[in-house]
């Protein structure tokens, strides 16, 4: 059996004009060895896999792909337009599951492509283990995300700031088409290219949209809603993507490109961990503003096909983007009120959330554990919630809650919205450091804890604790290693 036999491959993306891809084979990996395999995901995808031993032998010889390719795209990186493309990832095709769902299967870290520029096309073992861990954690947190099917260890030496061991990741996603793919078509391709991409994307991701003269504007609206729902969910769990460039915003509304991402501990909207984000552009609290900006880039890319009249196109696109703030506020506050057990989308109650966040920021309270203390009366913030500075807020919350929903409804809402366990930065780093030295036990335990993040798990208090402040102050994440 060969690697491609695992999948039921189709290549619909290759029906787009040639400008959208370049055919490329993954370069041979030196002594590849399957290190991690996501059996649960393999089953969800209905892969043709008799047993785990098969996975080991099949995935240890990546490289027999008939039509593998790299995708072309552009994007705004930290606000600046750049022509990009898959520089270190190769698509081996689209897997069609037994119930007819379509997923891109990509190898990340598989060698250079036409779009590698000065990069080596490789990835480090640590970064691929990190992506596997966080993407799977996000999935179990019930946040739309790319998935990780396998990490393949190689004998490759990868040079970054120091010498690293190389690895490849098998990434699975509904689609890797991004805002940047549309920017590429619009700014560097022809009108026909942009039309073809729009029709293809609608058929693949939003088939309910009719292909009439309003299709582009409907696509813009649908993507805006999908992205708002996604980023609201990031805010819910304290996730900081870290590099929300337009090439990392998926049209499908999935989280992807886990480079310098991290989770916030003490609540502070200006939290940033990424070493390259000097101006805090992608700070936790900026994420709504940035996704709106990215959606404006998407709208701009669609302008040539929204209407034949340029001015009319601008007006129609602007109308959609102008709705962002209203929709954002409703979805964001509804979610935040859910975190404190209140089922309401009445804007009269929004102030309760703003006040809570001010208290949390002023008292440097742990974001996850504040809600945990509120819903389960456990964790590091239990005491703070009983202190004088918090009691007026608690009383106000109780009054609203009692007037709106039952305690049982509140309990259910809080359970659904508040994770007990998130990937704590210091635990992630510790697990990765041990894993790259060859001891996978801590890493696997962390994966296990994070596979049930909404359930309290006995004897796992260690995983609830935020790190020492000094760790957080000095913690830095790195992009694309
Ligand atoms: P990212 O910051 O991961 O979104 O990457 C931005 C662009 O740089 C994408 O086009 C990547 O494919 C490319 N890139 C990142 N790392 C490498 C690498 N080691 N070799 C080649 N291209 C890379
Ligand atoms: Mg990227």
């Amino acid at each position: 059996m060969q690697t491609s036999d695992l999948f039921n491959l189709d290549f619909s993306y290759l029906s787009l004009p040639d400008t959208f891809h370049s055919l490329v084979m993954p370069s041979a990996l030196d002594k590849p060895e399957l290190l991690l395999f996501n059996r649960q995901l393999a089953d969800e995808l209905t892969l043709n896999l008799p047993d785990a031993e098969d996975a080991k032998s099949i995935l240890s010889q990546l490289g027999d792909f008939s039509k593998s390719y790299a995708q072309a795209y552009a994007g705004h990186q930290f606000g600046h337009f750049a022509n990009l493309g898959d520089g270190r990832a190769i698509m081996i095709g689209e897997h069609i599951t037994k119930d007819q769902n379509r997923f891109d299967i990509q190898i990340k870290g598989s060698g250079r492509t036409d779009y590698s520029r000065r990069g080596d096309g490789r990835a480090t073992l640590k970064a691929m283990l990190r992506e596997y861990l966080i993407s799977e954690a996000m999935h179990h947190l019930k946040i739309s995300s790319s998935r990780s099917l396998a990490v393949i260890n190689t004998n490759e030496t990868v040079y970054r700031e120091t010498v690293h061991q190389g690895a490849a990741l098998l990434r699975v996603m509904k689609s890797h088409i991004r805002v940047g793919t549309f920017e590429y078509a619009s700014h560097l391709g022809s009108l026909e290219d942009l039309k073809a991409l729009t029709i293809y994307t609608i058929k693949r991701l939003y088939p309910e949209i009719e292909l009439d003269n309003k299709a582009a504007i409907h696509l813009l609206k649908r993507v805006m809603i999908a992205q708002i729902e996604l980023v609201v969910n990031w805010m819910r769990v304290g996730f900081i993507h870290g590099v929300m460039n337009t090439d990392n915003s998926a049209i499908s509304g999935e989280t992807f490109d886990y480079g310098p991402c991290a989770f916030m501990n003490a609540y502070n909207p200006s939290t940033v961990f990424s070493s390259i984000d000097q101006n805090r552009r992608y700070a936790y609290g900026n994420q709504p503003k940035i996704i709106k900006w990215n959606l404006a880039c998407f709208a701009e890319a669609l302008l040539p096909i929204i209407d034949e009249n340029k001015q009319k196109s601008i007006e129609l696109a602007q109308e959609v983007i102008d709705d962002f703030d209203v929709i954002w506020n409703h979805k964001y506050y509804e979610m935040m009120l859910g975190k404190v057990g209140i089922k309401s989308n009445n804007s009269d109650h929004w102030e309760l959330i703003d006040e809570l966040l001010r208290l949390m920021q002023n008292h440097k309270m742990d974001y996850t554990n504040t809600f945990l203390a509120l819903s389960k009366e456990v964790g590091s913030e239990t005491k703070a919630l009983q202190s004088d500075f918090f009691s007026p807020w608690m009383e106000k919350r109780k009054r609203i809650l009692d007037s709106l929903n039952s305690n049982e409804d509140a309990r259910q809402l809080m359970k659904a919205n508040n994770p007990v366990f998130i990937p704590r930065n210091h635990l992630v780093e510790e697990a990765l450091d041990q894993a790259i030295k060859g001891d996978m036990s801590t890493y696997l335990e962390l994966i296990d804890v994070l596979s049930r993040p909404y359930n309290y798990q006995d004897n796992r208090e260690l995983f609830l604790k935020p790190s020492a402040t000094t760790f957080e102050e000095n913690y830095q994440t790195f992009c694309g290693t």
Side-chain angles (χ1 to χ4, degrees):
M1 218 169 144
Q2 298 187 319
T3 316
S4 51
D5 298 334
L6 267 182
F7 305 103
N8 177 24
L9 290 180
D10 189 52
F11 300 90
S12 71
Y13 184 85
L14 296 182
S15 67
L16 283 171
D18 288 353
T19 180
F20 286 103
H21 70 265
S22 101
L23 291 175
V24 56
M25 289 287 266
S27 52
L29 297 172
D30 188 17
K31 296 204 181 80
E33 212 176 273
L34 184 67
L35 181 63
L36 266 178
F37 182 65
N38 193 338
R39 181 78 220 198
Q40 194 194 341
L41 177 59
D43 290 342
E44 283 171 38
L45 293 172
T46 60
L47 297 191
N48 313 318
L49 192 66
D51 62 47
E53 270 313 299
D54 283 356
K56 210 169 173 131
S57 65
I58 295 165
L59 289 170
S60 293
Q61 34 159 334
L62 288 175
D64 58 315
F65 303 106
S66 53
K67 290 199 244 177
S68 53
Y69 60 93
Q71 293 186 334
Y73 51 86
H76 278 85
Q77 299 187 303
F78 292 89
H80 303 286
F81 186 79
N83 192 3
L84 302 160
D86 291 328
R88 58 158 172 176
I90 288 169
M91 203 74 74
I92 62 180
E94 299 141 21
H95 168 68
I96 316 284
T97 64
K98 295 216 165 99
D99 38 15
Q100 300 303 308
N101 291 315
R102 183 179 294 266
F103 290 94
D104 281 350
I105 310 288
Q106 194 182 62
I107 315 175
K108 185 166 174 180
S110 52
R112 288 177 52 79
T113 73
D114 285 356
Y115 313 112
S116 297
R117 296 170 292 163
R118 276 168 298 169
D120 58 5
R122 298 289 180 201
T124 67
L125 174 62
K126 187 171 175 178
M128 295 306 95
L129 286 173
R130 194 165 194 279
E131 172 155 347
Y132 186 107
L133 181 95
I134 309 278
S135 62
E136 287 305 301
M138 291 291 272
H139 170 72
H140 293 296
L141 283 163
K142 301 198 177 356
I143 300 178
S144 178
S145 173
S146 66
R147 305 286 307 273
S148 298
L149 182 62
V151 173
I152 294 142
N153 220 339
T154 73
N155 210 22
E156 229 78 51
T157 302
V158 178
Y159 299 94
R160 296 291 181 260
E161 68 290 359
T162 54
V163 177
H164 288 260
Q165 184 179 339
L169 176 88
L170 276 188
R171 177 157 82 180
V172 179
M173 205 168 155
K174 266 187 228 143
S175 155
H176 285 76
I177 295 174
R178 24 188 122 221
V179 169
T181 318
F182 280 82
E183 290 180 290
Y184 171 80
S186 185
H187 304 310
L188 302 164
S190 67
L191 189 63
E192 291 313 309
D193 293 335
L194 180 61
K195 279 186 187 157
L197 178 65
T198 306
I199 292 168
Y200 174 79
T201 305
I202 289 175
K203 282 189 179 163
R204 179 159 171 189
L205 296 174
Y206 299 98
E208 65 282 6
I209 298 178
E210 266 183 59
L211 290 171
D212 57 17
N213 61 359
K214 295 200 179 83
I217 207 79
H218 283 144
L219 179 63
L220 175 61
K221 282 186 193 166
R222 291 301 309 262
V223 173
M224 184 164 91
I225 300 293
Q227 279 294 342
I228 288 177
E229 282 169 355
L230 181 68
V231 181
V232 162
N233 262 305
W234 293 356
M235 304 304 274
R236 177 168 68 77
V237 299
F239 177 76
I240 306 165
H241 183 282
V243 61
M244 286 174 74
N245 294 332
T246 56
D247 51 303
N248 294 336
S249 284
I251 298 298
S252 61
E254 294 165 286
T255 314
F256 83 122
D257 218 321
Y258 290 93
C261 62
F263 281 76
M264 175 174 67
N265 288 316
Y267 176 76
N268 189 329
S270 67
T271 308
V272 159
F273 295 109
S274 168
S275 59
I276 55 166
D277 195 358
Q278 305 288 339
N279 298 324
R280 297 183 180 268
R281 178 179 170 92
Y282 299 138
Y284 172 79
N286 273 354
Q287 296 184 126
K289 239 193 301 183
I290 292 295
I291 200 60
K292 183 179 177 185
W293 194 86
N294 287 357
L295 288 160
C297 289
F298 183 42
E300 195 186 334
L302 289 172
L303 285 180
I305 54 165
I306 289 177
D307 196 278
E308 279 167 9
N309 178 309
K310 193 173 172 201
Q311 193 51 38
K312 181 95 177 117
S313 276
I314 294 173
E315 280 166 24
L316 289 169
Q318 192 63 50
E319 257 174 46
V320 177
I321 300 294
D322 284 347
D323 284 342
F324 180 98
D325 294 352
V326 173
I327 301 173
W328 172 270
N329 281 333
H330 272 278
K331 288 193 185 281
Y332 171 76
Y333 282 107
E334 188 178 14
M335 174 280 290
M336 290 301 286
L337 285 164
K339 279 175 84 67
V340 301
I342 295 173
K343 192 169 173 49
S344 158
N345 49 25
N346 181 343
S347 57
D348 290 350
H349 301 136
W350 294 358
E351 175 54 27
L352 185 79
I353 297 303
D354 297 342
E355 209 175 299
L356 171 65
L357 294 176
R358 274 196 298 276
L359 282 171
M360 285 164 71
Q361 186 171 356
N362 291 344
H363 295 274
K364 298 190 168 52
M365 292 168 71
D366 184 80
Y367 182 70
T368 304
N369 287 356
T370 300
F371 295 103
L372 184 63
L374 203 59
S375 41
K376 290 200 169 31
E377 292 169 29
V378 291
S380 64
E381 301 302 348
T382 329
K383 267 214 184 92
L385 260 59
Q386 291 156 1
S387 53
D388 287 348
F389 75 82
F390 222 90
S391 60
W393 184 85
M394 287 294 259
E395 279 161 28
K396 205 183 274 183
R397 167 191 177 248
K398 191 170 174 346
R399 271 201 305 279
I400 300 177
L401 205 155
D402 289 346
S403 72
L404 288 175
N405 51 265
S406 70
N407 283 342
E408 179 51 26
D409 287 344
R411 210 183 58 78
Q412 293 291 350
L413 256 182
M414 290 195 289
K415 186 170 162 49
N417 279 295
N418 299 323
V420 179
F421 299 103
I422 55 159
R424 296 277 178 185
N425 301 327
H426 65 295
L427 297 178
V428 171
E429 289 308 307
E430 190 189 316
L432 291 176
D433 285 341
Q434 294 193 17
I436 60 173
K437 285 185 199 140
D439 176 2
M440 292 290 286
S441 56
T442 313
Y443 180 89
L444 292 175
E445 188 181 9
L446 190 54
I447 293 234
D448 184 52
V449 172
L450 296 171
S451 68
R452 282 161 286 139
Y454 294 99
N455 292 351
Y456 190 83
Q457 300 165 37
D458 286 334
N459 304 320
R460 282 180 154 170
E461 286 76 17
L462 182 75
F463 295 89
L464 295 176
K465 288 205 180 102
S467 57
T469 323
T470 46
F471 177 91
E472 288 302 308
E473 278 168 4
N474 299 319
Y475 185 51
Q476 281 209 316
T477 55
F478 297 89
C479 199
T481 50

